[in-house]
């Protein structure tokens, strides 16, 4: 219990602060004639709830063309009672620092090109960020084309005659120059 003095104004009004932890204040008024009056004032000011914003995942590592869904959650913790969570993904505002790297629509992030950027997400007065790293996809090289050729391509032999043929393997990669190899003996 604590005592707070206040000054009564000519019009009968007065002001004072009730400490935040107090449930009520008892006003005791004494006048010059010795009369005493008491009045209890209830503290009806409730502490503001704590509100926070979170995002999952907190960072994205994508390859160009990939997408990832972000989930934005507002958590409210009242002075008394249980905390509540609200999915605000659809209602949040998304700002991407470099849209050549990534874009966001309704919480769905899309990797646009190689680089790094930051997505700033705002809901109400709260803000969270997501760091985004985009790499180029690893492209498997196309397999080379392998062909066999025979020289000569036709023979006209009589019974008992022999002729030499040559078998050549030609390997043509997706990029670069073709190579030839004699595979007659193989």
């Amino acid at each position: 219990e604590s005592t707070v003095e206040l000054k009564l104004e000519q019009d009968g009004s007065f002001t004072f602060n009730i400490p935040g932890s107090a449930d009520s204040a008892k006003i005791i008024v004494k006048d010059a004639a010795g009369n005493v009056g008491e009045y209890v004032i209830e503290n009806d000011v409730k502490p503001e709830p704590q509100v926070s914003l979170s995002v999952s995942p907190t960072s994205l590592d994508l390859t160009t063309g990939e997408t990832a869904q972000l989930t934005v959650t507002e958590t409210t913790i009242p002075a008394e009672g249980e905390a509540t969570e609200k999915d605000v993904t659809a209602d949040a505002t998304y700002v991407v620092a470099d849209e050549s790297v990534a874009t966001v629509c309704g919480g769905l992030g899309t990797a646009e090109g190689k680089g790094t950027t930051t997505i700033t997400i705002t809901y109400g007065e709260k803000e969270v960020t997501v760091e985004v790293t985009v790499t180029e996809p690893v492209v498997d090289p196309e397999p080379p084309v392998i062909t066999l050729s025979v020289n000569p391509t036709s023979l006209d032999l009589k019974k008992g005659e022999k002729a030499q043929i040559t078998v050549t393997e030609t390997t043509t990669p997706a990029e670069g120059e073709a190579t030839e190899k004699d595979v007659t003996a193989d």
Side-chain angles (χ1 to χ4, degrees):
E1 213 174 281
S2 63
T3 303
V4 177
E5 295 212 13
L6 57 94
K7 182 177 179 187
L8 185 60
E9 300 295 332
Q10 283 292 332
D11 65 359
S13 66
F14 59 91
T15 59
F16 65 96
N17 289 325
I18 298 176
S21 61
D23 293 330
S24 62
K26 184 191 290 185
I27 309 295
I28 302 172
V29 179
K30 295 179 186 177
D31 66 10
N35 296 314
V36 177
E38 291 185 11
Y39 186 76
V40 176
I41 299 176
E42 299 293 326
N43 185 1
D44 61 355
V45 177
K46 303 282 187 221
E48 289 292 318
Q50 295 178 0
V51 179
S52 63
L53 196 63
S54 61
V55 62
S56 178
T58 57
S59 65
L60 296 175
D61 290 308
L62 304 171
T63 57
T64 302
E66 277 188 316
T67 61
Q69 182 64 50
L70 298 170
T71 301
V72 183
T73 304
E74 178 187 65
T75 303
T76 303
I77 303 172
E80 296 177 15
E82 297 292 317
T84 58
E85 290 187 347
K86 177 181 175 185
D87 183 342
V88 296
T89 305
D91 300 320
T93 302
Y94 302 85
V95 177
V96 181
D98 186 349
E99 289 190 342
S100 69
V101 175
T103 56
V104 180
C105 182
L108 182 65
T110 302
E112 300 293 342
K114 183 178 177 180
T116 59
T117 191
T118 301
I119 301 170
T120 302
I121 304 164
T122 307
Y123 181 77
E125 296 179 10
K126 302 297 180 185
E127 180 179 286
V128 290
T129 59
V130 175
E131 296 300 320
V132 181
T133 302
V134 177
T135 55
E136 293 295 330
V138 176
V139 178
D140 291 331
E142 299 234 358
V145 175
I146 299 173
T147 57
L148 297 175
S149 59
V150 180
N151 191 14
T153 57
S154 66
L155 292 172
D156 188 15
L157 297 175
K158 294 185 177 149
K159 189 174 182 180
E161 289 183 328
K162 293 182 181 180
Q164 176 67 40
I165 63 169
T166 304
V167 180
T168 304
E169 176 186 272
T170 304
T171 303
T172 308
E175 294 182 20
E177 294 187 26
T179 58
E180 292 185 353
K181 175 181 170 185
D182 184 347
V183 294
T184 304
D186 296 338

